[in-house]
Amino acid sequence: MTAQLIDGAAVAARLRQTIRERVASLTADYGRAPGLAVVLVGSDPASQVYVRNKGKATIEVGMHSIEHHLDASTSEAELLALVARLNSDPGVDGILVQLPLPGHIDSQRVLLAIDPDKDVDGFHPINAGRLMTGQTGLVPCTPSGCMLLLKEVLPSLAGLHAVVVGRSNIVGKPIAQLLLQADCTVTIAHSRTRDLPAVCRSADILIAAVGRPEMIKGNWLKTGAVVIDVGINRIAAADGKTRLVGDVATQEALQHVQAITPVPGGVGPMTIACLLNNTLTAFERRQRS
Ligand code: GUN
């Protein structure tokens, strides 16, 4: 069987192009571009790269990018005051507070303070509840990206058995809800699951979101399965450098599956594209309300 590598970079580029066209038309109609505010507290190098990439992608689709870089010593009260200002700023449609926050700030309290209709990360419990109950809300970006990649290969997911390995609030739980909405039979597996290889072998669709390098082996996969690998793990390579690998042993998996997302170049590029899509959605809903 020749397995297909699902090209996340290409799918994300297509989505960004669609967003760019919609932004141009909405900006002409409403006299302003959608605005995304990103807040970074401190100088964590990985977070700085993420925030820079988000800002760049925002500008590239014609949106207004607002960046707040705050000192690591910023108090929780100061951060909450900034969130309150962004909540009431009519030019801000989406708010993202980059995680992790410094230890002296209660992340949960900050995420709860974001207006759920501007919560483009989809992390607010109101949005988690809306997703769970099938109401209109904002959906976390990485799970949305996974669903778009699945649809590249499987036009209908109805009746398929989807196994999600990982139960985080950011990926595992929300993607399980989206798969259920798409009429899959869903199993959520995790570190305490008994006989994980057997559970994985029963999956028509496998979503790997555990954060453990190449934990899921080729012979854990059903012949013809579609695999979405959410893991991004940096490991030491033989040449003394480092390289990125997913949660699935991709080379082995290619012998078994119908399609799989590569790491890098699979799910990763979809996350920012879906963030822009959420900002566009938040803008459109706010204009209508
Ligand atoms: N830190 C790493 N990924 C993310 C993300 O998707 N959203 C936020 N807010 N912080 C992050």
Side-chain angles (χ1 to χ4, degrees), residues 6 20 26 29-30 39 47 61 63 69 71 73 95 100 148 178-179 197 199 205 225-226 239 242 274 284:
I6 307 170
R20 193 176 297 120
L26 287 168
D29 288 350
Y30 292 104
V39 181
S47 292
V61 295
M63 291 185 188
H69 293 251
D71 195 82
S73 64
I95 302 169
L148 292 175
L178 292 172
L179 290 161
V199 174
I205 295 169
V226 175
D239 57 5
T242 62
C274 289
E284 289 180 303

Side-chain angles (χ1 to χ4, degrees), residues 137-149:
L138 290 163
V139 176
C141 304
T142 300
S144 297
C146 293
M147 293 304 287
L148 292 175
L149 294 179

Side-chain angles (χ1 to χ4, degrees), residues 75-85 87 106 109-111 113:
S75 70
E76 186 178 295
E78 286 169 317
L79 180 55
L80 289 171
L82 172 60
V83 169
R85 282 207 303 282
N87 281 343
D106 181 344
R109 194 172 290 157
V110 174
L111 295 182

Side-chain angles (χ1 to χ4, degrees), residues 5 21 27 52-53 64 67 79 90 97 102 133 147 151 155 157 165 170 184 199 224 241-242 258 280:
L5 279 173
E21 287 162 15
T27 304
R52 194 164 50 241
N53 289 342
H64 181 43
E67 283 187 30
L79 180 55
V97 178
T133 53
M147 293 304 287
K151 282 177 192 153
L157 310 187
V165 189
I170 293 176
C184 288
V199 174
K241 296 188 184 147
T242 62
Q258 176 191 338
L280 181 59

Side-chain angles (χ1 to χ4, degrees), residues 50 54 96-100 121 123 271:
Y50 285 135
K54 285 169 187 168
L96 181 145
V97 178
Q98 185 69 24
L99 301 175
D121 259 329
F123 292 168
T271 299

